[in-house]
Amino acid sequence: MKKILFLLAILSVGITQANNGKKDRTPEQIASIQSKKMTLVLDLDSKQQSQVEKLLLVEAKDRKSNKMKREDREKLTEEQRFTKSEAALEKKIAMKREMKSILNADQYAKWEKMIAKRSKGKKRGGKHRKGQDEKRGNRN
């Protein structure tokens, strides 16, 4: 019995640490992984990969520095929410312009499709929501 409890304790610690590993990634690690994924999908050359990685690093650092807790977000006034939304949209526009200058036309078109697919999933509630729609018979 003691052996089983000991194994369960070790397993739970291992699982907890594995889950925390994803949350505690540095902006540098995030940018590196994202740029490598994009290199595979878009067939970027080494110059493009380094430019994209720099751009993603700036974005990851910005995202980490601006991250707010749920309670803090709920305390924002309507004006503050508007300002944050407007700033986020400005950043997206700047990112899009930068990517357009780095990628060729085919890569940029493919990248836009990737972004559109990702944002469409968020609007619908992600994978979980999609599964619920299919169970109800609401397929689009």
Side-chain angles (χ1 to χ4, degrees):
M1 185 68 169
K2 288 182 181 179
K3 289 180 182 179
I4 292 173
L5 289 174
F6 180 71
L7 287 174
L8 286 174
I10 290 175
L11 266 172
S12 65
V13 168
I15 290 170
T16 304
Q17 288 178 347
N19 287 337
N20 287 341
K22 288 182 181 179
K23 294 176 186 175
D24 295 337
R25 287 188 178 149
T26 65
E28 291 79 8
Q29 291 171 324
I30 292 168
S32 176
I33 289 171
Q34 285 180 336
S35 68
K36 286 179 176 143
K37 285 181 180 180
M38 287 180 68
T39 298
L40 289 171
V41 173
L42 302 176
D43 194 30
L44 303 178
D45 61 32
S46 59
K47 182 181 176 187
Q48 288 175 316
Q49 182 181 353
S50 67
Q51 290 174 322
V52 166
E53 188 169 347
K54 287 177 188 174
L55 186 61
L56 292 172
L57 178 60
V58 170
E59 182 186 33
K61 284 181 178 178
D62 187 50
R63 195 170 43 247
K64 188 165 186 146
S65 68
N66 291 330
K67 191 172 184 174
M68 295 179 75
K69 292 183 180 178
R70 173 178 269 167
E71 300 85 34
D72 295 336
R73 279 195 310 263
E74 291 172 354
K75 292 177 185 176
L76 292 176
T77 65
E78 196 60 37
E79 181 66 28
Q80 290 170 325
R81 288 175 201 231
F82 173 77
T83 304
K84 285 187 83 56
S85 294
E86 195 171 48
L89 289 171
E90 288 293 331
K91 289 175 189 172
K92 283 183 181 182
I93 291 168
M95 173 76 157
K96 209 170 181 180
R97 287 181 181 150
E98 284 291 320
M99 290 301 284
K100 194 168 193 170
S101 70
I102 295 169
L103 304 175
N104 66 35
D106 292 336
Q107 291 169 330
Y108 183 74
K110 198 170 185 179
W111 178 76
E112 276 195 315
K113 286 180 185 177
M114 287 171 34
I115 298 300
K117 188 175 182 181
R118 188 179 343 150
S119 64
K120 183 179 179 184
K122 287 180 182 177
K123 288 178 186 172
R124 294 197 66 221
K127 293 178 184 177
H128 180 71
R129 168 71 186 220
K130 187 176 180 180
Q132 288 177 344
D133 286 347
E134 289 174 1
K135 287 179 187 174
R136 292 185 192 129
N138 299 336
R139 294 185 184 113
N140 291 341

